[in-house]
Amino acid sequence: MSDAEEILVPLDSLAVALGADEIASAFFDADFNVVRTGSRGMHWLEPLVEVEKEGSRIGFGPIDPDDVAPLIDAIKSGDFAAHPKHLGAIEAMDWMKAQRRLIFARCGVIDPLSLADYENAGGLLALKKAAMMTPDALCAEVMQSGLRGRGGAGFPAGIKWKTVAGADADQKYVVCNADEGDSGTFADRMIMEGDPFLLIEGMAIAGLAVGATRGFIYLRSEYPIAERVLSEAIRLAYNEDVLGFDVLGSGKRFDLELFIGAGAYICGEETSLLNSLEGKRGEVRAKPPLPALEGLFGKPTLVHNVLSLCAVPAIIVDGGKAYAAIGVGKSSGTMPFQLSGDVRHSGLYEAPFGLTLRDLVEKIGGGTRSGKNIRAIQIGGPLGAYLPPSKFDTAIDYEAMIAIGAGVGHGGVVVYNEEVDLLEQARYAFEFCAEESCGKCTPCRIGAVRGVEVIDRIKHGEDHAKNMGVLADLCELMIDGSLCAMGGMTPIPVQSALNHFPEDFAFPSKKRTFGAGAEKTP
Amino acid sequence: MRPYVGRAGGLISALRAVQAEIGYLPSETEGAAATAFNLTRAEVKGVISFYADFVRKPKGETVIRLCAAEACQAQGSRMLEKEVCRRLAIEPGKTSASGDLTLEHVFCLGLCSAGPAAMIDGVLMAKASPEKIVSGFEATKELKK
């Protein structure tokens, strides 16, 4: 073997779904030292194999099983560039260089299940520092950082922390919402698979800050690899006293448990999640009381998305002020944007708030993979708005998105080419809501079903004008009358489709040709 | 059931364990869980019916799950589903008459950036095509023989 030290192959779900396990076995069988890492987020190049040589990481991808034998030859001969899938040094690639990775700094770089690697790469610094700080000082840093909840609502994290810290109770909890159900989002999954100790560290710091001695990660059942990595990481963290009755020798306790959901999108809503974590049906609760005061088992509970908790260690190490200086206006820090759909460069791209949709979709994403024109994007998951290219010069920050009737959500951006039929997408928004509604409030439970029916009538031209009116009314009613964001925001994709793409709701529509009973939906 | 009693979300974890063991939740589970967790049978039934993962009837020997959410739609999942259904002569949400296959919808497997996504008996597949799914199904069936 040459002086190549290590072969790095992702264990990330997406890489595995494209054959990374077979690639890793092939290198292992050829007596290489194989390390499984997270993914770098360049998903159009997965499975992406990296070779470590003289401190530099040289990338090759996408690697098919047939590419392995020639790659082994290239490695042995030392002539890496001879391989057709040679990408050069990973860190020198445009996609990597232009990012600002605060959360994903280690993802794809280290062995996610080596606590030593984590520490060598700057991990645990924040928790060590936090163990010496007072709860007030910790909350103050988070407050000053301007961090807002990354799950979708964008609520200021500092206010939540202070509320839970200030509540008087014999038991408090930190609950991590890892029920990442939004289509087009996978950042939580990637960080849990690629750098699980970061989440554990963030949760332990939150526990010290708000006075909670117990934490739970509520993970969706659709993520079996994340489950395996997290369970092992938690076990290792207990072994090294990162978790347990004496967190890093601070004398403070923090216990952490992994809980697996059972297939319900609504459990990503925090009160529904808490009911589910209590073993009940995941129906939403009316607020108030706020979970910060009466949450899990009626006790004060800090509920945060994975990314919010993963942002905490950087805030504690560099200070809230430094974090607040990143980003724009009231949207401080970085956001891991997730690009998918018909886009050439799909994957995860972490950058400060403030870049435009056009930057993200055209410059970074490189336009469509199919070569067709972009007709729409949907930002923020199933409850997010559909936007036409005329809106692409909008900056991505919480306020600017709200101003155009959209939302950042969890940072997912799905690209649609000219073939998309926005009436079908609006119909799907209702269909999804009908399927996933918890059923507790009427506007959501019944409204979603009626929405599908009304759109079908519009599609077939039955009382067209009248049904367009009914649709507008229905959206308004669901926004005003629903108990949670599921029913309250399902109208967002519908209304945005109606506003920006009215031609798709006309009858007859160019998108659909009717004749001889045959109906064609492209 | 016993190891889960008294734990957070214990009922759901217990039901998951039973289903992992025997593939579905027979009606006896309801009574057993009600007794173990000191709940009414109706409460247990309510929990089982709420979550998509729980089923009260056995599924097919192989389960194919196709992602039906937006990011996969933008990459052709609607056409993929039609074609898979045609080739395997099955409908979404149904089990084949011979019991060898169940086809299910799933909303997001987190593989959005390389869709359409699918899962065959728990094994993830990205950039799924009718050919890949049919051959994956055949290979899975072969392995079980």
Side-chain angles (χ1 to χ4, degrees):
Chain A
M1 201 160 63
S2 72
D3 53 356
E5 296 165 49
E6 282 175 344
I7 303 292
L8 301 108
V9 185
L11 55 68
D12 181 276
S13 294
L14 183 118
V16 169
L18 291 169
D21 284 350
E22 291 87 331
I23 309 289
S25 306
F27 278 104
F28 185 78
D29 291 343
D31 282 334
F32 281 94
N33 182 15
V34 179
V35 178
R36 303 302 298 268
T37 61
S39 165
R40 295 276 194 167
M42 295 186 280
H43 290 163
W44 74 100
L45 295 173
E46 293 288 1
L48 173 62
V49 172
E50 295 178 33
V51 181
E52 177 145 344
K53 193 186 178 188
E54 292 154 7
S56 175
R57 294 272 184 88
I58 312 298
F60 300 86
I63 295 296
D64 297 324
D66 295 345
D67 291 324
V68 176
L71 182 51
I72 289 174
D73 291 343
I75 294 168
K76 285 185 175 162
S77 73
D79 185 10
F80 289 3
H83 196 274
K85 303 279 178 77
H86 175 256
L87 300 166
I90 294 284
E91 302 290 348
M93 294 177 73
D94 289 343
W95 172 280
M96 295 304 297
K97 262 196 320 203
Q99 293 188 55
R100 177 131 189 207
R101 292 197 156 201
L102 292 182
I103 293 174
F104 281 82
R106 279 173 295 259
C107 189
V109 180
I110 62 166
D111 174 354
L113 289 172
S114 163
L115 197 52
D117 277 13
Y118 180 67
E119 237 182 311
N120 288 336
L124 295 184
L125 272 179
L127 185 55
K128 283 176 192 159
K129 191 172 168 188
M132 320 274 276
M133 290 166 71
T134 63
D136 280 351
L138 285 168
C139 290
E141 288 296 342
V142 173
M143 187 68 114
Q144 201 183 15
S145 74
L147 175 69
R148 293 168 69 170
R150 300 288 191 244
F155 188 80
I159 294 178
K160 249 193 217 181
W161 286 45
K162 279 199 172 162
T163 309
V164 180
D168 192 25
D170 54 350
Q171 178 70 59
K172 298 183 199 177
Y173 299 100
V174 176
V175 172
C176 170
N177 183 346
D179 192 43
E180 186 180 47
D182 282 1
S183 171
T185 67
F186 38 84
D188 294 353
R189 177 185 64 64
M190 280 181 65
I191 202 72
M192 290 185 289
E193 293 174 352
D195 197 10
F197 293 120
L198 178 66
L199 176 58
I200 294 172
E201 184 175 7
M203 289 189 74
I205 295 168
L208 298 181
V210 302
T213 54
R214 290 189 72 185
F216 292 94
I217 299 172
Y218 185 104
L219 179 70
R220 66 199 295 256
S221 63
E222 291 85 349
Y223 286 177
I225 296 179
E227 176 185 356
R228 210 180 63 217
V229 174
L230 275 175
S231 338
E232 182 61 10
I234 291 172
R235 192 186 66 79
L236 293 168
Y238 267 105
N239 281 352
E240 302 295 326
D241 287 332
V242 174
L243 293 171
F245 64 90
D246 185 15
V247 172
L248 294 180
S250 65
K252 289 172 187 158
R253 179 171 198 137
F254 189 71
D255 286 307
L256 182 58
E257 247 182 77
L258 179 64
F259 179 84
I260 309 300
Y265 174 77
I266 192 62
C267 289
E269 196 283 333
E270 60 177 357
T271 61
S272 158
L273 183 149
L274 294 172
N275 275 340
S276 184
L277 198 44
E278 291 178 10
K280 301 174 187 157
R281 289 165 67 88
E283 285 178 359
V284 304
R285 302 175 181 171
K287 287 193 268 193
L290 294 170
L293 297 171
E294 284 179 45
L296 187 60
F297 301 112
K299 303 291 183 186
T301 305
L302 184 73
V303 187
H304 264 314
N305 169 256
V306 174
L307 298 178
S308 314
L309 290 160
C310 287
V312 168
I315 291 170
I316 299 304
V317 170
D318 299 328
K321 210 173 146 190
Y323 190 84
I326 306 166
V328 285
K330 289 182 186 164
S331 306
S332 59
T334 60
M335 184 77 199
F337 296 104
Q338 301 131 73
L339 271 170
S340 67
D342 188 2
V343 62
R344 184 174 298 145
H345 297 156
S346 58
L348 181 136
Y349 191 95
E350 185 175 350
F353 284 99
L355 76 174
T356 65
L357 287 166
R358 196 175 302 283
D359 289 340
L360 194 60
V361 173
E362 294 178 1
K363 229 169 82 193
I364 298 162
T368 60
R369 185 165 57 212
S370 64
K372 292 174 182 149
N373 293 321
I374 296 177
R375 181 148 189 254
I377 60 156
Q378 186 182 25
I379 176 163
L383 309 177
Y386 287 98
L387 299 172
S390 62
K391 297 284 177 195
F392 285 6
D393 291 312
T394 314
I396 310 177
D397 69 59
Y398 291 104
E399 276 70 33
M401 281 294 135
I402 290 169
I404 59 164
V408 176
H410 190 47
V413 174
V414 180
V415 180
Y416 293 84
N417 64 34
E418 59 210 46
E419 285 178 6
V420 67
D421 179 347
L422 272 301
L423 176 140
E424 289 296 340
Q425 298 310 118
R427 184 187 189 276
Y428 172 79
F430 282 126
E431 210 185 327
F432 181 70
C433 182
E435 185 85 22
E436 296 293 337
S437 171
C438 80
K440 181 144 176 165
C441 74
T442 321
C444 177
R445 184 183 67 242
I446 308 287
V449 178
R450 293 289 174 260
V452 173
E453 294 166 359
V454 171
I455 289 190
D456 280 343
R457 282 186 208 116
I458 291 171
K459 179 174 165 181
H460 293 103
E462 286 172 42
D463 282 332
H464 190 268
K466 199 174 138 201
N467 277 305
M468 288 294 279
V470 172
L471 182 59
D473 278 356
L474 179 63
C475 286
E476 211 174 296
L477 182 135
M478 286 179 73
I479 293 170
D480 294 340
S482 300
L483 199 50
C484 82
M486 176 96 218
M489 286 172 69
T490 289
I492 289 180
V494 178
Q495 289 176 327
S496 59
L498 277 166
N499 290 341
H500 301 303
F501 307 92
E503 62 274 23
D504 288 10
F505 293 83
F507 182 83
S509 155
K510 279 188 200 147
K511 278 281 161 200
R512 292 172 295 278
T513 46
F514 292 86
E519 175 191 316
K520 182 177 159 279
T521 304
Chain B
M1 300 273 169
R2 206 156 292 146
Y4 301 98
V5 175
R7 298 187 60 170
L11 173 61
I12 291 172
S13 304
L15 294 172
R16 288 187 63 83
V18 173
Q19 187 161 309
E21 188 71 27
I22 52 177
Y24 72 110
L25 298 172
S27 57
E28 303 91 279
T29 319
E30 291 161 18
T35 311
F37 288 90
N38 196 23
L39 295 167
T40 65
R41 223 182 136 125
E43 284 169 314
V44 174
K45 211 165 179 170
V47 168
I48 293 173
S49 64
F50 187 86
Y51 296 95
D53 285 358
F54 296 140
V55 289
R56 282 177 268 194
K57 278 191 300 194
K59 292 187 188 182
E61 284 158 38
T62 299
V63 179
I64 299 180
R65 304 174 90 187
L66 297 177
C67 179
E70 292 94 327
C72 284
Q73 290 171 16
Q75 296 168 87
S77 65
R78 291 180 192 226
M79 290 304 290
L80 173 74
E81 182 183 296
K82 274 188 195 148
E83 189 53 24
V84 169
C85 287
R86 192 185 66 80
R87 291 198 192 187
L88 298 175
I90 194 161
E91 281 173 60
K94 296 272 162 64
T95 297
S96 62
S98 68
D100 66 340
L101 172 65
T102 295
L103 188 82
E104 292 180 341
H105 269 161
V106 55
F107 292 116
C108 199
L109 293 166
L111 308 177
C112 322
S113 47
M119 197 184 225
I120 302 182
D121 276 0
V123 179
L124 294 166
M125 181 190 287
K127 295 185 185 166
S129 63
E131 294 74 25
K132 274 171 82 173
I133 289 174
V134 171
S135 65
F137 171 56
E138 299 296 343
T140 310
K141 259 171 73 170
E142 202 55 41
L143 272 178
K144 285 177 185 164
K145 274 183 190 165

